[in-house]
Amino acid sequence: MKRIISIVLLTAVVMASCSNKQKEEEARQVAIKMVKDSLRLDSFKKAEVAKKQEEQRLAQVAEEKREKRTLLLSEQREASASNGVASGSSSSGQTVHKKKGWSDAAKGTLIGGVAGAVGGAIIDKKHGRGALIGGAAGAGAGYLIGRGKDKKSGRVPSN
């Protein structure tokens, strides 16, 4: 009888221990699944937040582009309005170019004068007189050449 009772108790203990291990394993699997699901939800939430931030950034960039475009258009309108008032002949079909820097005639005069003065000083025995004559001739030639370039570019109206 003692053997039978001990066998039954041993079987019950073995069965109980097996079922506890199985229950622990199932509980561990459920916990792992819950953690994985929460991580997925977190990653989805992070992706949604990142998407919203990107949309906001794109909207902000688009708004800045619109502001720049509006600013440029208003500057162009102001410039065309001021050119129309200043020229007084905008209705005649002539386009008025904004004058910037030195004209080609001024550049040509300067370059021609310097080159003529150096050339005249080298050629003539009296260096001062040669420099004056060469400078005057070079300046005149440089002016004529530069004035022709100004007429071609439209800076100076051709008569």
Side-chain angles (χ1 to χ4, degrees):
M1 185 75 174
K2 286 184 179 178
R3 279 188 181 168
I4 294 176
I5 292 177
S6 62
I7 292 174
V8 169
L9 280 173
L10 186 61
T11 308
V13 169
V14 169
M15 292 290 254
S17 68
C18 286
S19 67
N20 281 343
K21 286 182 183 177
Q22 188 177 13
K23 286 180 182 178
E24 288 176 8
E25 184 64 31
E26 286 177 7
R28 190 176 333 131
Q29 292 296 329
V30 169
I32 290 172
K33 185 177 180 184
M34 292 171 87
V35 168
K36 286 182 179 179
D37 287 344
S38 70
L39 289 175
R40 280 191 206 131
L41 287 176
D42 267 354
S43 65
F44 283 128
K45 288 178 183 176
K46 287 179 184 177
E48 287 177 15
V49 168
K51 185 177 179 182
K52 287 180 182 178
Q53 288 176 345
E54 182 66 19
E55 288 175 355
Q56 289 175 349
R57 189 187 67 80
L58 290 175
Q60 185 179 9
V61 168
E63 180 65 27
E64 289 173 0
K65 285 183 179 179
R66 275 186 291 238
E67 289 175 2
K68 286 181 182 177
R69 190 177 309 131
T70 304
L71 182 62
L72 287 174
L73 287 174
S74 66
E75 287 176 359
Q76 288 176 352
R77 286 184 194 134
E78 288 176 7
S80 65
S82 66
N83 283 343
V85 170
S87 67
S89 62
S90 61
S91 61
S92 65
Q94 294 179 351
T95 58
V96 178
H97 295 283
K98 200 172 200 178
K99 297 180 181 178
K100 291 185 179 179
W102 285 34
S103 67
D104 287 331
K107 290 177 194 174
T109 303
L110 179 68
I111 294 170
V114 170
V118 170
I122 292 173
I123 294 171
D124 198 0
K125 290 181 181 178
K126 294 183 180 179
H127 298 295
R129 183 181 67 181
L132 286 175
I133 295 171
Y143 173 77
L144 293 175
I145 293 170
R147 181 77 176 186
K149 285 184 180 179
D150 279 340
K151 286 181 180 180
K152 285 183 183 176
S153 69
R155 185 175 179 116
V156 176
S158 57
N159 293 334

